[in-house]
Amino acid sequence: MPIDRNPIRNIVILTGAGVSAESGIDTFRDANDGRGGLWEQHRVEDVATPEAFARDPDLVLRFYDMRREAIQTKKPNPAHHALARLDKEWEGQLLIVTQNVDDLHERAGARRVLHMHGEHLNAWCTACDVRSRWTGTLIERPACPRCGEPALRPDVVWFGEMPYEMDRIFAALRDADLFVSIGTSGAVYPAAGFVRNANELGARTLELNLDRSQGSHWFDETRLGPAGRIVPEWVDEILA
Ligand code: APR
């Protein structure tokens, strides 16, 4: 049953790799991508875990340097622009919780964005715990701009690490009238569980995705199609 717009005031939006796919950024695990779970020729466990970083820091730093360089050549697509328009025009509470480590929501102009899995364009100093904006490379072990130690790592949440700002996300879910999930496969927790949390907390739930996600049956409504088309359509509808 389509979701009625009227009583909706507070919105939480969860985005995943699918929202950036049409910008040319690879997703991780599309059903038919033919990459057999490989991510830029690497198994996720070889590059996206603290154990991998301890075992082979050069491999991990080089991998993230490459991704960091690549995302800076990409541009926001109509889905990012539509969400930025919603952020600008929506008068109620709104939080875009993204699992993406790219900055395409912000480059489209969105401000109410929370990066629960960190950001490619940040470096995190493991010596002084300060995060710095970082557009260059880390492979040559540059000094931390704050403390001078050569102890910078990518500020991305690896498998086995705690996502950021869970308290703020749950506070927003508690207030939400509508939870919208966009372009995520529902394979990685805790984000994959937000739809059930939202349901339990009384929000309506809407999925916008290319294919049905693993938790698709938990949503009140699912719309299938490319984000670059179905997100602007939904934003037009909710702002009408
Ligand atoms: N429009 C909408 N959805 C799309 C599009 C598109 N153009 N292209 C792909 N999708 C959908 C796929 O159908 C899939 O359901 O986007 C989803 C991408 O799923 P994943 O690759 O698993 O990405 P995501 O859900 O963001 O992954 C979660 O896993 O590896 C970790 O930390 C990483 O944040 C990431 C987390």
Side-chain angles (χ1 to χ4, degrees), residues 15-22 26-31 35 39 44 48 98-101 117 157 159 182-188 191 207-214 225-228 230:
T15 66
V19 82
S20 295
E22 288 155 77
D26 277 352
T27 60
F28 299 95
R29 52 185 75 75
D30 284 353
R35 286 182 286 132
W39 186 32
V44 156
T98 186
Q99 298 168 90
N100 298 343
V101 291
H117 290 169
V157 175
F159 286 94
I182 305 174
T184 174
S185 60
V188 175
E207 170 176 49
L208 305 175
N209 209 20
L210 194 59
D211 314 298
R212 284 187 176 276
S213 66
Q214 292 184 22
I230 62 177

mmCIF file of all heavy atoms in Angstrom, residues 15-22 26-31 35 39 44 48 98-101 117 157 159 182-188 191 207-214 225-228 230, ligand 1:
data_model
loop_
_atom_site.group_PDB
_atom_site.id
_atom_site.type_symbol
_atom_site.label_atom_id
_atom_site.label_comp_id
_atom_site.label_asym_id
_atom_site.label_seq_id
_atom_site.Cartn_x
_atom_site.Cartn_y
_atom_site.Cartn_z
ATOM 1 N N THR A 15 21.236 5.349 3.012
ATOM 2 C CA THR A 15 21.703 5.107 1.643
ATOM 3 C C THR A 15 22.880 4.127 1.645
ATOM 4 O O THR A 15 23.623 4.020 2.614
ATOM 5 C CB THR A 15 22.119 6.398 0.899
ATOM 6 O OG1 THR A 15 23.281 6.972 1.513
ATOM 7 C CG2 THR A 15 21.006 7.413 0.881
ATOM 8 N N GLY A 16 22.993 3.404 0.526
ATOM 9 C CA GLY A 16 24.088 2.459 0.342
ATOM 10 C C GLY A 16 24.714 2.651 -1.027
ATOM 11 O O GLY A 16 24.395 3.617 -1.755
ATOM 12 N N ALA A 17 25.555 1.713 -1.395
ATOM 13 C CA ALA A 17 26.365 1.850 -2.609
ATOM 14 C C ALA A 17 25.512 2.077 -3.859
ATOM 15 O O ALA A 17 25.975 2.708 -4.814
ATOM 16 C CB ALA A 17 27.236 0.609 -2.782
ATOM 17 N N GLY A 18 24.275 1.581 -3.861
ATOM 18 C CA GLY A 18 23.411 1.713 -5.042
ATOM 19 C C GLY A 18 23.105 3.162 -5.394
ATOM 20 O O GLY A 18 22.847 3.478 -6.557
ATOM 21 N N VAL A 19 23.140 4.065 -4.398
ATOM 22 C CA VAL A 19 22.816 5.466 -4.699
ATOM 23 C C VAL A 19 23.965 6.110 -5.492
ATOM 24 O O VAL A 19 23.747 7.078 -6.233
ATOM 25 C CB VAL A 19 22.472 6.247 -3.398
ATOM 26 C CG1 VAL A 19 23.706 6.719 -2.660
ATOM 27 C CG2 VAL A 19 21.567 7.428 -3.675
ATOM 28 N N SER A 20 25.177 5.560 -5.361
ATOM 29 C CA SER A 20 26.324 6.108 -6.083
ATOM 30 C C SER A 20 26.685 5.301 -7.323
ATOM 31 O O SER A 20 27.634 5.662 -8.040
ATOM 32 C CB SER A 20 27.549 6.189 -5.156
ATOM 33 O OG SER A 20 27.328 7.103 -4.105
ATOM 34 N N ALA A 21 25.945 4.223 -7.590
ATOM 35 C CA ALA A 21 26.303 3.337 -8.710
ATOM 36 C C ALA A 21 26.275 4.089 -10.039
ATOM 37 O O ALA A 21 27.178 3.938 -10.870
ATOM 38 C CB ALA A 21 25.351 2.142 -8.758
ATOM 39 N N GLU A 22 25.246 4.941 -10.214
ATOM 40 C CA GLU A 22 25.135 5.649 -11.494
ATOM 41 C C GLU A 22 26.150 6.796 -11.612
ATOM 42 O O GLU A 22 26.267 7.408 -12.677
ATOM 43 C CB GLU A 22 23.701 6.153 -11.686
ATOM 44 C CG GLU A 22 22.755 4.996 -11.979
ATOM 45 C CD GLU A 22 21.326 5.311 -11.585
ATOM 46 O OE1 GLU A 22 20.659 6.048 -12.316
ATOM 47 O OE2 GLU A 22 20.871 4.823 -10.524
ATOM 48 N N ASP A 26 31.720 1.564 -7.952
ATOM 49 C CA ASP A 26 31.311 0.156 -7.841
ATOM 50 C C ASP A 26 30.523 -0.107 -6.571
ATOM 51 O O ASP A 26 30.870 0.386 -5.509
ATOM 52 C CB ASP A 26 32.557 -0.740 -7.758
ATOM 53 C CG ASP A 26 33.117 -1.032 -9.132
ATOM 54 O OD1 ASP A 26 32.462 -0.671 -10.115
ATOM 55 O OD2 ASP A 26 34.218 -1.620 -9.178
ATOM 56 N N THR A 27 29.486 -0.954 -6.693
ATOM 57 C CA THR A 27 28.832 -1.473 -5.493
ATOM 58 C C THR A 27 29.649 -2.673 -5.002
ATOM 59 O O THR A 27 30.619 -3.083 -5.645
ATOM 60 C CB THR A 27 27.375 -1.883 -5.788
ATOM 61 O OG1 THR A 27 27.401 -2.884 -6.796
ATOM 62 C CG2 THR A 27 26.560 -0.702 -6.258
ATOM 63 N N PHE A 28 29.265 -3.230 -3.874
ATOM 64 C CA PHE A 28 30.053 -4.311 -3.279
ATOM 65 C C PHE A 28 29.549 -5.683 -3.690
ATOM 66 O O PHE A 28 30.305 -6.603 -3.886
ATOM 67 C CB PHE A 28 30.006 -4.221 -1.743
ATOM 68 C CG PHE A 28 30.568 -2.934 -1.249
ATOM 69 C CD1 PHE A 28 29.733 -1.864 -0.974
ATOM 70 C CD2 PHE A 28 31.919 -2.777 -1.090
ATOM 71 C CE1 PHE A 28 30.241 -0.666 -0.535
ATOM 72 C CE2 PHE A 28 32.449 -1.581 -0.654
ATOM 73 C CZ PHE A 28 31.604 -0.518 -0.373
ATOM 74 N N ARG A 29 28.228 -5.853 -3.732
ATOM 75 C CA ARG A 29 27.735 -7.211 -3.884
ATOM 76 C C ARG A 29 26.428 -7.281 -4.678
ATOM 77 O O ARG A 29 25.441 -7.815 -4.193
ATOM 78 C CB ARG A 29 27.567 -7.885 -2.512
ATOM 79 C CG ARG A 29 26.766 -7.125 -1.513
ATOM 80 C CD ARG A 29 26.741 -7.796 -0.169
ATOM 81 N NE ARG A 29 27.985 -7.668 0.587
ATOM 82 C CZ ARG A 29 28.383 -6.556 1.212
ATOM 83 N NH1 ARG A 29 27.633 -5.465 1.172
ATOM 84 N NH2 ARG A 29 29.508 -6.521 1.888
ATOM 85 N N ASP A 30 26.428 -6.743 -5.887
ATOM 86 C CA ASP A 30 25.243 -6.905 -6.729
ATOM 87 C C ASP A 30 25.078 -8.374 -7.098
ATOM 88 O O ASP A 30 26.061 -9.070 -7.341
ATOM 89 C CB ASP A 30 25.376 -6.087 -8.017
ATOM 90 C CG ASP A 30 25.144 -4.614 -7.734
ATOM 91 O OD1 ASP A 30 24.768 -4.306 -6.596
ATOM 92 O OD2 ASP A 30 25.347 -3.797 -8.636
ATOM 93 N N ALA A 31 23.834 -8.791 -7.165
ATOM 94 C CA ALA A 31 23.544 -10.203 -7.423
ATOM 95 C C ALA A 31 24.220 -10.702 -8.700
ATOM 96 O O ALA A 31 24.755 -11.797 -8.752
ATOM 97 C CB ALA A 31 22.041 -10.394 -7.505
ATOM 98 N N ARG A 35 31.423 -10.577 -10.472
ATOM 99 C CA ARG A 35 32.741 -10.437 -9.851
ATOM 100 C C ARG A 35 32.934 -11.421 -8.704
ATOM 101 O O ARG A 35 33.965 -11.402 -8.032
ATOM 102 C CB ARG A 35 32.950 -9.008 -9.366
ATOM 103 C CG ARG A 35 33.196 -8.055 -10.512
ATOM 104 C CD ARG A 35 33.446 -6.641 -10.021
ATOM 105 N NE ARG A 35 32.210 -6.028 -9.564
ATOM 106 C CZ ARG A 35 32.089 -5.394 -8.407
ATOM 107 N NH1 ARG A 35 33.093 -5.300 -7.596
ATOM 108 N NH2 ARG A 35 30.932 -4.864 -8.067
ATOM 109 N N TRP A 39 36.129 -7.289 -4.896
ATOM 110 C CA TRP A 39 35.971 -5.840 -4.851
ATOM 111 C C TRP A 39 37.278 -5.256 -5.352
ATOM 112 O O TRP A 39 38.300 -5.352 -4.682
ATOM 113 C CB TRP A 39 35.686 -5.459 -3.408
ATOM 114 C CG TRP A 39 35.354 -4.042 -3.180
ATOM 115 C CD1 TRP A 39 34.699 -3.200 -4.025
ATOM 116 C CD2 TRP A 39 35.655 -3.312 -2.004
ATOM 117 N NE1 TRP A 39 34.569 -1.976 -3.445
ATOM 118 C CE2 TRP A 39 35.140 -2.014 -2.203
ATOM 119 C CE3 TRP A 39 36.292 -3.592 -0.811
ATOM 120 C CZ2 TRP A 39 35.253 -1.021 -1.257
ATOM 121 C CZ3 TRP A 39 36.399 -2.603 0.133
ATOM 122 C CH2 TRP A 39 35.888 -1.336 -0.081
ATOM 123 N N VAL A 44 37.107 -8.764 0.237
ATOM 124 C CA VAL A 44 36.888 -7.733 1.246
ATOM 125 C C VAL A 44 37.740 -7.996 2.492
ATOM 126 O O VAL A 44 38.337 -7.084 3.072
ATOM 127 C CB VAL A 44 35.380 -7.656 1.572
ATOM 128 C CG1 VAL A 44 35.120 -7.088 2.933
ATOM 129 C CG2 VAL A 44 34.676 -6.810 0.522
ATOM 130 N N ALA A 48 39.595 -4.856 4.029
ATOM 131 C CA ALA A 48 38.668 -4.062 4.837
ATOM 132 C C ALA A 48 38.461 -4.645 6.228
ATOM 133 O O ALA A 48 37.343 -4.684 6.742
ATOM 134 C CB ALA A 48 37.326 -3.919 4.109
ATOM 135 N N THR A 98 24.329 7.565 5.731
ATOM 136 C CA THR A 98 24.883 6.853 4.580
ATOM 137 C C THR A 98 25.941 5.847 5.014
ATOM 138 O O THR A 98 26.722 6.104 5.933
ATOM 139 C CB THR A 98 25.444 7.820 3.508
ATOM 140 O OG1 THR A 98 25.836 7.044 2.375
ATOM 141 C CG2 THR A 98 26.632 8.638 4.006
ATOM 142 N N GLN A 99 25.898 4.689 4.340
ATOM 143 C CA GLN A 99 26.959 3.695 4.540
ATOM 144 C C GLN A 99 28.118 3.996 3.594
ATOM 145 O O GLN A 99 29.158 3.352 3.657
ATOM 146 C CB GLN A 99 26.427 2.299 4.234
ATOM 147 C CG GLN A 99 25.285 1.863 5.143
ATOM 148 C CD GLN A 99 24.626 0.600 4.600
ATOM 149 O OE1 GLN A 99 25.007 -0.503 4.927
ATOM 150 N NE2 GLN A 99 23.629 0.779 3.758
ATOM 151 N N ASN A 100 27.898 4.955 2.701
ATOM 152 C CA ASN A 100 28.915 5.238 1.683
ATOM 153 C C ASN A 100 30.025 6.106 2.259
ATOM 154 O O ASN A 100 29.773 7.018 3.048
ATOM 155 C CB ASN A 100 28.277 5.939 0.479
ATOM 156 C CG ASN A 100 27.238 5.066 -0.187
ATOM 157 O OD1 ASN A 100 27.206 3.859 0.043
ATOM 158 N ND2 ASN A 100 26.376 5.662 -0.996
ATOM 159 N N VAL A 101 31.231 5.828 1.790
ATOM 160 C CA VAL A 101 32.372 6.614 2.265
ATOM 161 C C VAL A 101 32.751 7.693 1.252
ATOM 162 O O VAL A 101 33.715 8.427 1.454
ATOM 163 C CB VAL A 101 33.561 5.689 2.623
ATOM 164 C CG1 VAL A 101 33.225 4.871 3.869
ATOM 165 C CG2 VAL A 101 33.938 4.761 1.481
ATOM 166 N N HIS A 117 29.824 4.678 8.198
ATOM 167 C CA HIS A 117 30.996 3.845 7.909
ATOM 168 C C HIS A 117 32.243 4.684 7.620
ATOM 169 O O HIS A 117 33.186 4.210 6.996
ATOM 170 C CB HIS A 117 30.715 2.906 6.724
ATOM 171 C CG HIS A 117 29.740 1.814 7.052
ATOM 172 N ND1 HIS A 117 29.169 0.988 6.110
ATOM 173 C CD2 HIS A 117 29.242 1.391 8.243
ATOM 174 C CE1 HIS A 117 28.353 0.127 6.705
ATOM 175 N NE2 HIS A 117 28.371 0.362 7.999
ATOM 176 N N VAL A 157 35.168 2.563 8.444
ATOM 177 C CA VAL A 157 34.847 1.519 9.425
ATOM 178 C C VAL A 157 35.021 0.168 8.742
ATOM 179 O O VAL A 157 34.329 -0.137 7.767
ATOM 180 C CB VAL A 157 33.400 1.703 9.940
ATOM 181 C CG1 VAL A 157 33.006 0.559 10.866
ATOM 182 C CG2 VAL A 157 33.261 3.050 10.647
ATOM 183 N N PHE A 159 35.223 -4.140 8.642
ATOM 184 C CA PHE A 159 34.471 -5.250 9.223
ATOM 185 C C PHE A 159 35.070 -5.574 10.592
ATOM 186 O O PHE A 159 36.296 -5.654 10.733
ATOM 187 C CB PHE A 159 34.502 -6.478 8.300
ATOM 188 C CG PHE A 159 33.628 -6.299 7.103
ATOM 189 C CD1 PHE A 159 34.147 -5.819 5.912
ATOM 190 C CD2 PHE A 159 32.258 -6.553 7.172
ATOM 191 C CE1 PHE A 159 33.328 -5.615 4.810
ATOM 192 C CE2 PHE A 159 31.436 -6.347 6.082
ATOM 193 C CZ PHE A 159 31.973 -5.889 4.895
ATOM 194 N N ILE A 182 17.680 3.304 0.567
ATOM 195 C CA ILE A 182 17.964 3.515 -0.858
ATOM 196 C C ILE A 182 19.268 2.831 -1.258
ATOM 197 O O ILE A 182 20.328 3.115 -0.677
ATOM 198 C CB ILE A 182 18.072 5.024 -1.186
ATOM 199 C CG1 ILE A 182 16.811 5.769 -0.747
ATOM 200 C CG2 ILE A 182 18.332 5.227 -2.680
ATOM 201 C CD1 ILE A 182 16.885 7.285 -0.901
ATOM 202 N N GLY A 183 19.190 1.916 -2.218
ATOM 203 C CA GLY A 183 20.405 1.362 -2.819
ATOM 204 C C GLY A 183 21.301 0.597 -1.877
ATOM 205 O O GLY A 183 22.524 0.713 -1.949
ATOM 206 N N THR A 184 20.700 -0.198 -1.003
ATOM 207 C CA THR A 184 21.538 -1.033 -0.124
ATOM 208 C C THR A 184 20.998 -2.458 -0.121
ATOM 209 O O THR A 184 19.790 -2.672 -0.174
ATOM 210 C CB THR A 184 21.661 -0.427 1.298
ATOM 211 O OG1 THR A 184 22.367 -1.337 2.141
ATOM 212 C CG2 THR A 184 20.325 -0.086 1.908
ATOM 213 N N SER A 185 21.932 -3.416 -0.065
ATOM 214 C CA SER A 185 21.543 -4.823 -0.231
ATOM 215 C C SER A 185 20.974 -5.442 1.041
ATOM 216 O O SER A 185 20.459 -6.546 1.021
ATOM 217 C CB SER A 185 22.754 -5.644 -0.679
ATOM 218 O OG SER A 185 23.773 -5.552 0.299
ATOM 219 N N GLY A 186 21.106 -4.741 2.174
ATOM 220 C CA GLY A 186 20.596 -5.308 3.427
ATOM 221 C C GLY A 186 21.422 -6.496 3.901
ATOM 222 O O GLY A 186 20.922 -7.367 4.607
ATOM 223 N N ALA A 187 22.697 -6.508 3.534
ATOM 224 C CA ALA A 187 23.555 -7.644 3.892
ATOM 225 C C ALA A 187 24.429 -7.342 5.099
ATOM 226 O O ALA A 187 24.964 -8.258 5.708
ATOM 227 C CB ALA A 187 24.438 -8.018 2.694
ATOM 228 N N VAL A 188 24.601 -6.062 5.427
ATOM 229 C CA VAL A 188 25.571 -5.706 6.463
ATOM 230 C C VAL A 188 24.861 -5.016 7.643
ATOM 231 O O VAL A 188 24.189 -4.001 7.474
ATOM 232 C CB VAL A 188 26.673 -4.787 5.865
ATOM 233 C CG1 VAL A 188 27.625 -4.301 6.944
ATOM 234 C CG2 VAL A 188 27.455 -5.556 4.798
ATOM 235 N N ALA A 191 23.226 -1.631 9.874
ATOM 236 C CA ALA A 191 22.336 -0.861 8.989
ATOM 237 C C ALA A 191 21.188 -1.725 8.455
ATOM 238 O O ALA A 191 20.050 -1.258 8.336
ATOM 239 C CB ALA A 191 23.145 -0.273 7.826
ATOM 240 N N GLU A 207 11.298 1.108 0.692
ATOM 241 C CA GLU A 207 12.557 0.693 0.071
ATOM 242 C C GLU A 207 12.598 1.169 -1.381
ATOM 243 O O GLU A 207 11.647 0.930 -2.140
ATOM 244 C CB GLU A 207 12.663 -0.826 0.113
ATOM 245 C CG GLU A 207 13.813 -1.357 -0.727
ATOM 246 C CD GLU A 207 13.978 -2.864 -0.613
ATOM 247 O OE1 GLU A 207 12.996 -3.606 -0.750
ATOM 248 O OE2 GLU A 207 15.107 -3.280 -0.390
ATOM 249 N N LEU A 208 13.706 1.825 -1.763
ATOM 250 C CA LEU A 208 13.939 2.225 -3.154
ATOM 251 C C LEU A 208 15.233 1.550 -3.585
ATOM 252 O O LEU A 208 16.306 1.873 -3.065
ATOM 253 C CB LEU A 208 14.085 3.744 -3.268
ATOM 254 C CG LEU A 208 12.950 4.607 -2.712
ATOM 255 C CD1 LEU A 208 13.305 6.085 -2.801
ATOM 256 C CD2 LEU A 208 11.642 4.340 -3.446
ATOM 257 N N ASN A 209 15.154 0.603 -4.493
ATOM 258 C CA ASN A 209 16.343 -0.177 -4.833
ATOM 259 C C ASN A 209 16.198 -0.753 -6.238
ATOM 260 O O ASN A 209 15.096 -0.838 -6.779
ATOM 261 C CB ASN A 209 16.508 -1.314 -3.823
ATOM 262 C CG ASN A 209 17.965 -1.720 -3.622
ATOM 263 O OD1 ASN A 209 18.879 -0.957 -3.919
ATOM 264 N ND2 ASN A 209 18.177 -2.927 -3.124
ATOM 265 N N LEU A 210 17.342 -1.162 -6.797
ATOM 266 C CA LEU A 210 17.295 -1.774 -8.123
ATOM 267 C C LEU A 210 16.670 -3.170 -8.051
ATOM 268 O O LEU A 210 15.819 -3.533 -8.861
ATOM 269 C CB LEU A 210 18.722 -1.854 -8.683
ATOM 270 C CG LEU A 210 18.888 -2.149 -10.153
ATOM 271 C CD1 LEU A 210 18.203 -1.096 -11.004
ATOM 272 C CD2 LEU A 210 20.377 -2.196 -10.506
ATOM 273 N N ASP A 211 17.115 -3.942 -7.064
ATOM 274 C CA ASP A 211 16.560 -5.282 -6.819
ATOM 275 C C ASP A 211 16.069 -5.300 -5.379
ATOM 276 O O ASP A 211 16.492 -4.486 -4.584
ATOM 277 C CB ASP A 211 17.649 -6.372 -6.903
ATOM 278 C CG ASP A 211 18.540 -6.203 -8.098
ATOM 279 O OD1 ASP A 211 18.007 -6.287 -9.205
ATOM 280 O OD2 ASP A 211 19.757 -5.963 -7.908
ATOM 281 N N ARG A 212 15.243 -6.293 -5.092
ATOM 282 C CA ARG A 212 14.815 -6.429 -3.700
ATOM 283 C C ARG A 212 16.023 -6.738 -2.813
ATOM 284 O O ARG A 212 16.843 -7.571 -3.163
ATOM 285 C CB ARG A 212 13.787 -7.561 -3.569
ATOM 286 C CG ARG A 212 12.427 -7.149 -4.079
ATOM 287 C CD ARG A 212 11.380 -8.205 -3.795
ATOM 288 N NE ARG A 212 10.080 -7.712 -4.216
ATOM 289 C CZ ARG A 212 9.296 -6.921 -3.466
ATOM 290 N NH1 ARG A 212 9.649 -6.580 -2.255
ATOM 291 N NH2 ARG A 212 8.145 -6.503 -3.942
ATOM 292 N N SER A 213 16.097 -6.035 -1.664
ATOM 293 C CA SER A 213 17.203 -6.296 -0.732
ATOM 294 C C SER A 213 16.885 -7.551 0.072
ATOM 295 O O SER A 213 15.777 -8.080 0.015
ATOM 296 C CB SER A 213 17.374 -5.102 0.203
ATOM 297 O OG SER A 213 16.233 -5.005 1.023
ATOM 298 N N GLN A 214 17.862 -7.984 0.864
ATOM 299 C CA GLN A 214 17.646 -9.197 1.666
ATOM 300 C C GLN A 214 16.511 -9.032 2.667
ATOM 301 O O GLN A 214 15.836 -9.983 2.993
ATOM 302 C CB GLN A 214 18.937 -9.573 2.393
ATOM 303 C CG GLN A 214 20.008 -10.027 1.423
ATOM 304 C CD GLN A 214 21.270 -10.496 2.121
ATOM 305 O OE1 GLN A 214 21.258 -10.866 3.301
ATOM 306 N NE2 GLN A 214 22.375 -10.495 1.407
ATOM 307 N N GLY A 225 13.904 0.081 -9.230
ATOM 308 C CA GLY A 225 14.356 0.832 -10.405
ATOM 309 C C GLY A 225 15.683 1.473 -10.077
ATOM 310 O O GLY A 225 16.160 1.396 -8.935
ATOM 311 N N PRO A 226 16.314 2.114 -11.063
ATOM 312 C CA PRO A 226 17.575 2.797 -10.791
ATOM 313 C C PRO A 226 17.349 4.030 -9.917
ATOM 314 O O PRO A 226 16.387 4.784 -10.129
ATOM 315 C CB PRO A 226 18.075 3.192 -12.191
ATOM 316 C CG PRO A 226 16.888 3.136 -13.073
ATOM 317 C CD PRO A 226 15.882 2.197 -12.463
ATOM 318 N N ALA A 227 18.252 4.223 -8.956
ATOM 319 C CA ALA A 227 18.102 5.339 -8.011
ATOM 320 C C ALA A 227 17.985 6.679 -8.736
ATOM 321 O O ALA A 227 17.225 7.551 -8.313
ATOM 322 C CB ALA A 227 19.285 5.359 -7.047
ATOM 323 N N GLY A 228 18.721 6.833 -9.841
ATOM 324 C CA GLY A 228 18.708 8.100 -10.571
ATOM 325 C C GLY A 228 17.331 8.461 -11.115
ATOM 326 O O GLY A 228 17.063 9.624 -11.424
ATOM 327 N N ILE A 230 14.152 6.672 -9.646
ATOM 328 C CA ILE A 230 13.081 6.523 -8.646
ATOM 329 C C ILE A 230 13.262 7.435 -7.426
ATOM 330 O O ILE A 230 12.274 7.784 -6.786
ATOM 331 C CB ILE A 230 12.871 5.043 -8.220
ATOM 332 C CG1 ILE A 230 14.115 4.455 -7.549
ATOM 333 C CG2 ILE A 230 12.451 4.198 -9.412
ATOM 334 C CD1 ILE A 230 13.884 3.024 -7.058
HETATM 335 N N1 APR B 1 20.014 2.187 -8.224
HETATM 336 C C1 APR B 1 19.535 1.671 -7.076
HETATM 337 N N2 APR B 1 20.052 0.602 -6.476
HETATM 338 C C2 APR B 1 21.122 0.025 -7.054
HETATM 339 C C3 APR B 1 21.678 0.500 -8.258
HETATM 340 C C4 APR B 1 21.088 1.637 -8.851
HETATM 341 N N3 APR B 1 21.527 2.176 -9.988
HETATM 342 N N4 APR B 1 22.728 -0.296 -8.577
HETATM 343 C C5 APR B 1 22.803 -1.228 -7.625
HETATM 344 N N5 APR B 1 21.829 -1.045 -6.700
HETATM 345 C C6 APR B 1 21.546 -1.822 -5.490
HETATM 346 C C7 APR B 1 21.834 -3.295 -5.633
HETATM 347 O O1 APR B 1 20.679 -3.961 -6.137
HETATM 348 C C8 APR B 1 22.139 -3.695 -4.190
HETATM 349 O O2 APR B 1 20.956 -4.058 -3.490
HETATM 350 O O3 APR B 1 22.416 -1.352 -4.490
HETATM 351 C C9 APR B 1 22.695 -2.397 -3.584
HETATM 352 C C10 APR B 1 24.177 -2.405 -3.335
HETATM 353 O O4 APR B 1 24.456 -3.336 -2.328
HETATM 354 P P1 APR B 1 25.920 -3.494 -1.724
HETATM 355 O O5 APR B 1 26.895 -3.565 -2.833
HETATM 356 O O6 APR B 1 25.892 -4.637 -0.764
HETATM 357 O O7 APR B 1 26.172 -2.113 -0.971
HETATM 358 P P2 APR B 1 25.758 -1.685 0.494
HETATM 359 O O8 APR B 1 24.449 -2.253 0.865
HETATM 360 O O9 APR B 1 25.933 -0.214 0.573
HETATM 361 O O10 APR B 1 26.895 -2.388 1.357
HETATM 362 C C11 APR B 1 26.892 -2.179 2.747
HETATM 363 O O11 APR B 1 28.981 -3.334 2.957
HETATM 364 O O12 APR B 1 31.158 -3.836 2.288
HETATM 365 C C12 APR B 1 30.371 -3.077 3.110
HETATM 366 O O13 APR B 1 31.025 -1.158 4.249
HETATM 367 C C13 APR B 1 30.574 -1.595 2.993
HETATM 368 O O14 APR B 1 28.989 0.186 3.350
HETATM 369 C C14 APR B 1 29.186 -1.055 2.712
HETATM 370 C C15 APR B 1 28.292 -2.144 3.297
#
